[in-house]
Amino acid sequence: MLRPSRQLLRPLPLRTAVLRQSRAAFSDVTLDPAGQPTFVPPSDPTPLPLQHGEDGQRKIGYLFFNSIFPLKMGVWDLRYLAAKVEKDSLMEKLQSLVPENSTLACKVIDVYPREKDGGAFLKFSYIPPHPNLEQVQDPLELRKLEEETIAILEKEARDAIAAKGFKPWFAFANSKAFFVRGKPWMEDMNRFPNSRIRVEFEGPVIPQEELYDVFRPYGKIHDIVPQPPGGKEPPYADIIYTSMRSSSAARNCLHGALIPSTLPIPNPPPPTVVRILFADRVRSHQIREWATSHPRIMIPLIVALLGGLSWAVFDPVREFFVKTKIERTWDSDRWALLKWLKKETLGRLGLTSTTVKASTGIEKEREEAKELLITWLRDIPDTFNVVTGPVGSGKTSLVDQVTSNAENVLVIDCAQLGKSRSDTALASDLASAVGYWPRFALASSLNNMIDLASVGLIGQKAGFSASLDQELKQILEVTSSALKKLANERNARSLKAAKKAETLRKNSDAKDKVVEQLNDEGIKDGRLDTVSGTGAMAELGGGIERPDKDSIVIVGPKSAAAVKAYVSPEVPTTEPQPDDVGGLPIVVIKSFAAKGLAKQEVLTDVLAEWAAVLVENKVAHVVFTSDSIQVNKPLAKALPSKPFNVISLNDASPEAAIQYIESKLAEADPNNVLPAESHVDVAKVGGRQTDLELLVQKIKSGLTPEEAVQDLVSRSATELRKNFFGDDIMEGKSLPWTREQAYTIAKGLAANGELKYADVLVNSPFKSDEAALRALENAELVSVHHAHGRPSLLRPGKPIYRSAFQELLSDTVFSATIQYQINAAATKSASADLEAASKALLELSNLFEGGKWAFGGGSTVPKEVDTRVGALLGAMRTAEEKLAKLDQEKTELLKILATSA
């Protein structure tokens, strides 16, 4: 930083006046009778000549209050903005500190805030206690009188502060008042307070002892650093305070002050004017300058440090919260005590349901699928478990039943994730689903801004920001680590249980041998066998008979205890329940590859790859539920070498649907029984579980089964009218299929319930337009059933849609309107065919001129031409017959539209 020119800082007229008055004040020195100079007290800065007031008797001075505002540490320091709000009130309070009945009759003239230095100047006038100071000739006496006046002013100001308790809310200590002995320098440059001030001397250099006496009243001094010898700069000394408030007070009160010499010599040197500046802060610029000059090194290094910090500090915390999410640590139903308290408090008040739901017909039909899924989850994971079926077929309820007894289950619902409107929201939703916390969402935006800045600085991204798939993978990596730890804990428990089982097996074998020996031989004692046994020792007459290799010896007083231990019953081990699944964690990914989800491709690819890693490393079982027939494509891409375990769920049978409704009604009211005559109406709803639940709700609300079914059918018909055909012709044109194609499908499904896929595809009105059929399937208006890996049948998107199609087509006006539009299109097509055949015949007739054919010269009609003419005549006949039929249909449709309302 460039130091300001001393010529700019030096107020030349003030210096001239000060030096002139200093010479006049110190030109005469008093000597004692021995001819020696009289004793001069320690140096005090001589105040500048006091200005006269308006009445001639008053003098003008300044007081500096050092704790009014926060000290501004730099340009970035915004604390002064908070104090600026109270600036006016603080200045008013500051003016009130001068008492009206003061000893010197002080009057406030003005207040000058110094926010940067944390204080304020108060300009005032007063009447000196010694009115004839100009007549005092002795300089020492004059200084003494002036110091007495200053002491009175400072004491009254400080007493007023103490009496009124003046202390701003942001100040840690009470404010202090100091009389300004120099000239206030109210600069507004970017020079901020520092505990180190530089005192420049204009005149003789002041010794350290005198500097200490002059500057100590403003605060404790840590050190005084004189100018190094041989310096080319003007003479100066650095004074270091222990507090910046003290250095700020000294700088504002003594800048431009006159410091007289105290040397006891006949002709002492002239006084010295001090100029005080805040010293530059001592900073370690080398590291900062090197870092700013090498961004290609520092930015990647900062990225690495932040990544290491995240891995060392935040990832373990995130992993902990993911584990608590999987283990359901905060779930009250997991802990027996909390579960009991919940039952005894909320349960007794009827706020929780503890009834066991009865088995329904749909659940009985799902038993085989349930047992199959349980078997897969008990085995070691080696592939994906996929549960497919149309929307509302019970996939979620099946998986929930199977995993209800599992210890560690993680559920990720892609349908909820697909509702996210941005990449940041999607990552946040996934983090919330797996329990990944903390996640600094704001940091992602800041990282993007840093990367944009780094591109302009170093020409490439710094690597702070990450793409969506990278953020998702980072979240799932932490989740994988938590799942792996849970799997390792489970494996450790399994190994311990296996060792315990092996020990029990060995004990069981030993017990069987003991029991068998006790039953056959009794207790075998080698000492008795020596005397009366039949072994070798009995023949020799000495020693202890050793037992056979497979015999168990029970000898001495401990034999009874040993036999008791062997034959005591074992503690029964807990056998696994039929519905229990394996101990490995289970990851359930719902609505995988669902239609119409945002960021579908990125989300499915990332989840599929992550699930493949879990399965290949035997970390967890992965269960996918999906209503998409294309679910196998992203899964096969992630795990191409293994077939999947697939369970396909269909709609329930009519008998199971009726049993389901009866059981649900009985749960609410045992007396609520579905009448037998209502079974036919209930069959119209079909076996889709979501439709059956809606039907149960309507019956519970008070509708009869017939009314509830009719309401559902009517609602479905209205839905199909809008989504299948469009509200009007313009909206119908925006659909990916034509109204003629939709009417053909609706008419066929209403009559037969299913259509052959190939027959519909090749015939009119589709004419091999497979995109229209796929669009109908994606809109869930129809469902395509496959056989041998190819599309085979077309069925309604929901079973209730067949009844809805029938009701929709029973509307004669709507049906006639659609048929009229179809008739017009068919008439146009038939007319075009007739015109094309006529035009072709005319072109053939042009080849026969003058009784001869142009290409042969003969009069005989060639066979090829005769065949072509016959075909064209047949096409014309067919077109004419079709037009006649269409015209008749048109007439009938017009009559219907004219007579119907």
Side-chain angles (χ1 to χ4, degrees):
M1 181 184 296
L2 297 176
R3 298 184 67 251
S5 173
R6 295 186 62 207
Q7 297 296 329
L8 295 177
L9 299 178
R10 181 183 302 162
L12 295 178
L14 174 64
R15 179 177 181 271
T16 305
V18 169
L19 293 179
R20 186 183 301 114
Q21 293 183 14
S22 64
R23 294 191 189 98
F26 288 89
S27 58
D28 298 329
V29 179
T30 306
L31 301 178
D32 60 8
Q36 298 296 328
T38 57
F39 173 75
V40 179
S43 294
D44 282 321
T46 300
L48 290 177
L50 300 176
Q51 304 174 20
H52 292 278
E54 296 178 356
D55 57 1
Q57 294 182 354
R58 286 186 169 274
K59 307 297 182 180
I60 297 176
Y62 291 86
L63 284 174
F64 180 77
F65 295 84
N66 70 337
S67 294
I68 306 298
F69 303 101
L71 288 170
K72 192 171 182 181
M73 308 301 296
V75 179
W76 47 264
D77 193 349
L78 303 179
R79 294 177 300 162
Y80 77 97
L81 294 176
K84 196 171 184 179
V85 178
E86 301 182 8
K87 176 180 176 181
D88 295 338
S89 62
L90 288 174
M91 295 299 99
E92 292 178 1
K93 292 179 181 179
L94 193 61
Q95 293 183 13
S96 65
L97 295 179
V98 178
E100 298 179 357
N101 56 351
S102 61
T103 305
L104 304 182
C106 297
K107 291 183 180 180
V108 176
I109 298 175
D110 203 350
V111 180
Y112 305 100
R114 293 292 296 158
E115 295 98 327
K116 183 177 67 172
D117 295 337
F121 288 104
L122 188 144
K123 184 179 180 181
F124 65 99
S125 65
Y126 66 97
I127 299 176
H130 308 286
N132 299 321
L133 288 178
E134 292 82 355
Q135 300 177 6
V136 179
Q137 298 298 325
D138 187 0
L140 297 180
E141 183 65 22
L142 179 61
R143 287 179 54 194
K144 180 179 178 182
L145 294 176
E146 290 178 347
E147 290 298 331
E148 290 178 358
T149 303
I150 292 172
I152 294 173
L153 291 172
E154 290 183 346
K155 182 178 183 304
E156 288 190 351
R158 294 176 182 179
D159 290 344
I161 292 174
K164 296 186 178 183
F166 178 72
K167 180 182 178 182
W169 60 269
F170 41 77
F172 294 100
N174 290 328
S175 181
K176 294 182 181 180
F178 299 96
F179 187 81
V180 179
R181 300 170 182 270
K183 179 182 178 182
W185 185 23
M186 301 180 189
E187 47 83 18
D188 58 354
M189 296 182 288
N190 285 341
R191 295 179 179 179
F192 303 104
N194 188 6
S195 59
R196 186 185 188 112
I197 58 176
R198 173 157 296 185
V199 182
E200 296 182 352
F201 307 121
E202 289 191 1
V205 176
I206 302 175
Q208 295 188 33
E209 296 84 352
E210 296 184 12
L211 285 175
Y212 182 86
D213 292 337
V214 172
F215 285 87
R216 180 60 179 84
Y218 300 95
K220 186 176 180 180
I221 296 176
H222 175 71
D223 193 11
I224 298 177
V225 181
Q227 182 183 19
K232 297 181 179 180
E233 297 181 356
Y236 70 88
D238 287 347
I239 299 177
I240 305 173
Y241 281 93
T242 58
S243 169
M244 281 193 290
R245 292 282 181 186
S246 301
S247 63
S248 176
R251 185 249 181 238
N252 284 278
C253 293
L254 294 179
H255 178 78
L258 190 68
I259 310 298
S261 175
T262 58
L263 295 177
I265 56 177
N267 294 313
T272 302
V273 178
V274 293
R275 308 291 181 189
I276 304 175
L277 304 171
F278 288 115
D280 293 336
R281 295 179 182 272
V282 179
R283 300 181 178 91
S284 300
H285 296 290
Q286 291 79 8
I287 297 177
R288 185 187 66 185
E289 292 176 356
W290 185 90
T292 54
S293 60
H294 296 79
R296 293 180 179 271
I297 299 176
M298 289 304 301
I299 293 179
L301 182 60
I302 293 173
V303 173
L305 290 176
L306 292 178
L309 179 64
S310 175
W311 176 81
V313 178
F314 294 111
D315 280 3
V317 177
R318 293 163 178 162
E319 188 177 303
F320 167 76
F321 281 103
V322 172
K323 286 183 64 177
T324 58
K325 176 79 172 183
I326 299 172
E327 293 178 324
R328 295 174 296 175
T329 304
W330 316 117
D331 188 358
S332 60
D333 293 335
R334 179 179 174 84
W335 306 102
L337 178 59
L338 295 178
K339 191 174 182 180
W340 177 82
L341 288 173
K342 184 178 179 181
K343 177 182 177 183
E344 295 299 324
T345 54
L346 300 179
R348 291 184 180 275
L349 296 175
L351 300 178
T352 59
S353 176
T354 57
T355 59
V356 180
K357 296 182 179 180
S359 178
T360 64
I362 296 179
E363 293 175 353
K364 292 180 179 178
E365 288 187 350
R366 301 285 190 263
E367 283 297 326
E368 182 178 354
K370 179 180 177 182
E371 293 297 331
L372 185 59
L373 184 57
I374 290 174
T375 302
W376 291 340
L377 295 180
R378 284 178 179 171
D379 200 357
I380 298 175
D382 60 348
T383 187
F384 296 144
N385 304 302
V386 184
V387 181
T388 62
V391 177
S393 58
K395 302 181 295 295
T396 300
S397 60
L398 172 65
V399 175
D400 290 344
Q401 290 177 19
V402 172
T403 59
S404 60
N405 295 325
E407 294 182 2
N408 305 318
V409 181
L410 177 62
V411 180
I412 300 175
D413 192 351
C414 295
Q416 296 296 326
L417 299 180
K419 297 178 182 178
S420 305
R421 297 185 178 181
S422 63
D423 294 352
T424 303
L426 177 57
S428 298
D429 291 343
L430 178 61
S432 177
V434 301
Y436 180 93
W437 187 89
R439 182 179 183 273
F440 307 105
L442 180 61
S444 300
S445 301
L446 296 177
N447 291 339
N448 292 332
M449 296 176 62
I450 293 174
D451 268 354
L452 290 176
S454 67
V455 170
L457 184 62
I458 63 176
Q460 62 184 9
K461 290 187 176 181
F464 280 91
S465 62
S467 59
L468 175 61
D469 58 338
Q470 290 176 339
E471 290 187 12
L472 299 180
K473 288 178 181 179
Q474 180 182 2
I475 295 172
L476 294 176
E477 283 177 3
V478 176
T479 308
S480 300
S481 179
L483 289 170
K484 187 174 182 180
K485 287 188 176 181
L486 291 174
N488 292 338
E489 293 175 1
R490 180 260 179 187
N491 293 334
R493 291 195 302 268
S494 299
L495 182 60
K496 185 177 180 180
K499 291 181 179 180
K500 184 177 180 180
E502 179 66 19
T503 303
L504 292 176
R505 187 188 63 79
K506 292 180 179 180
N507 292 341
S508 178
D509 294 342
K511 182 190 73 174
D512 294 339
K513 290 182 180 181
V514 170
V515 173
E516 181 181 357
Q517 181 176 327
L518 290 175
N519 292 332
D520 296 342
E521 303 178 9
I523 297 177
K524 187 176 182 63
D525 194 336
R527 297 170 298 180
L528 297 177
D529 290 342
T530 303
V531 179
S532 58
T534 58
M537 292 300 175
E539 294 294 334
L540 296 175
I544 297 177
E545 186 72 38
R546 304 308 300 171
D548 297 336
K549 181 178 181 181
D550 297 331
S551 299
I552 297 176
V553 180
I554 305 174
V555 183
K558 297 182 180 180
S559 59
V563 173
K564 183 178 180 181
Y566 275 117
V567 300
S568 61
E570 296 180 4
V571 178
T573 58
T574 303
E575 295 293 334
Q577 299 298 320
D579 291 344
D580 287 346
V581 295
L584 283 177
I586 301 174
V587 178
V588 180
I589 303 178
K590 297 181 179 179
S591 303
F592 183 75
K595 306 181 186 74
L597 297 183
K599 308 293 181 181
Q600 176 69 269
E601 185 175 355
V602 175
L603 184 61
T604 54
D605 290 345
V606 171
L607 288 176
E609 292 175 2
W610 174 65
V613 173
L614 296 180
V615 169
E616 289 177 343
N617 293 326
K618 308 294 187 293
V619 173
H621 294 278
V622 181
V623 180
F624 290 94
T625 65
S626 177
D627 55 359
S628 174
I629 61 174
Q630 299 179 352
V631 65
N632 289 339
K633 291 184 178 180
L635 297 182
K637 182 180 178 182
L639 198 65
S641 60
K642 296 180 180 179
F644 308 142
N645 299 328
V646 181
I647 295 177
S648 297
L649 300 180
N650 297 316
D651 296 323
S653 63
E655 296 79 9
I658 293 173
Q659 186 178 356
Y660 177 85
I661 294 175
E662 290 177 343
S663 62
K664 290 295 182 180
L665 292 176
E667 289 180 5
D669 185 4
N671 298 323
N672 194 354
V673 181
L674 185 68
E677 59 271 14
S678 301
H679 290 183
V680 177
D681 294 313
V682 172
K684 296 180 181 180
V685 179
R688 188 65 55 88
Q689 189 169 350
T690 52
D691 294 335
L692 294 176
E693 291 176 354
L694 188 59
L695 177 62
V696 170
Q697 293 176 5
K698 290 184 176 296
I699 295 175
K700 288 181 180 180
S701 65
L703 297 178
T704 64
E706 293 78 7
E707 293 173 343
V709 171
Q710 183 59 37
D711 183 65
L712 288 177
V713 173
S714 300
R715 289 176 179 271
S716 299
T718 304
E719 177 186 346
L720 290 175
R721 187 193 305 272
K722 175 178 177 58
N723 298 331
F724 216 47
F725 298 96
D727 289 333
D728 50 30
I729 296 177
M730 296 304 297
E731 185 175 348
K733 291 181 179 180
S734 64
L735 297 173
W737 56 83
T738 64
R739 283 191 163 191
E740 182 181 3
Q741 291 172 339
Y743 184 81
T744 303
I745 294 292
K747 187 175 181 181
L749 293 178
N752 303 317
E754 65 181 24
L755 298 173
K756 298 291 180 59
Y757 184 89
D759 183 51
V760 173
L761 180 62
V762 298
N763 290 316
S764 178
F766 284 91
K767 296 181 180 180
S768 300
D769 185 10
E770 193 169 9
L773 286 176
R774 292 300 181 185
L776 289 170
E777 182 190 15
N778 292 332
E780 299 180 358
L781 299 175
V782 299
S783 61
V784 178
H785 294 257
H786 293 70
H788 307 292
R790 60 173 177 79
S792 176
L793 296 174
L794 280 175
R795 290 176 181 170
K798 293 181 180 180
I800 197 174
Y801 279 175
R802 183 181 182 184
S803 300
F805 283 137
Q806 293 172 352
E807 179 170 332
L808 190 62
L809 298 179
S810 66
D811 185 352
T812 55
V813 175
F814 174 78
S815 181
T817 302
I818 299 298
Q819 290 183 38
Y820 185 85
Q821 296 173 2
I822 296 174
N823 182 278
T827 301
K828 184 178 180 180
S829 176
S831 300
D833 293 342
L834 180 60
E835 184 179 356
S838 301
K839 186 176 180 180
L841 284 175
L842 290 175
E843 290 177 354
L844 288 176
S845 65
N846 292 332
L847 298 177
F848 190 76
E849 296 179 357
K852 296 183 180 180
W853 290 96
F855 46 77
S859 59
T860 303
V861 179
K863 182 178 180 181
E864 294 80 4
V865 174
D866 187 43
T867 302
R868 178 60 178 162
V869 170
L872 291 174
L873 292 175
M876 292 178 65
R877 187 182 307 108
T878 301
E880 289 175 351
E881 292 175 353
K882 186 175 181 181
L883 286 173
K885 184 178 179 181
L886 291 173
D887 187 63
Q888 183 180 359
E889 291 180 358
K890 179 180 179 181
T891 303
E892 295 176 356
L893 291 173
L894 289 175
K895 290 180 180 179
I896 295 174
L897 293 175
T899 58
S900 300

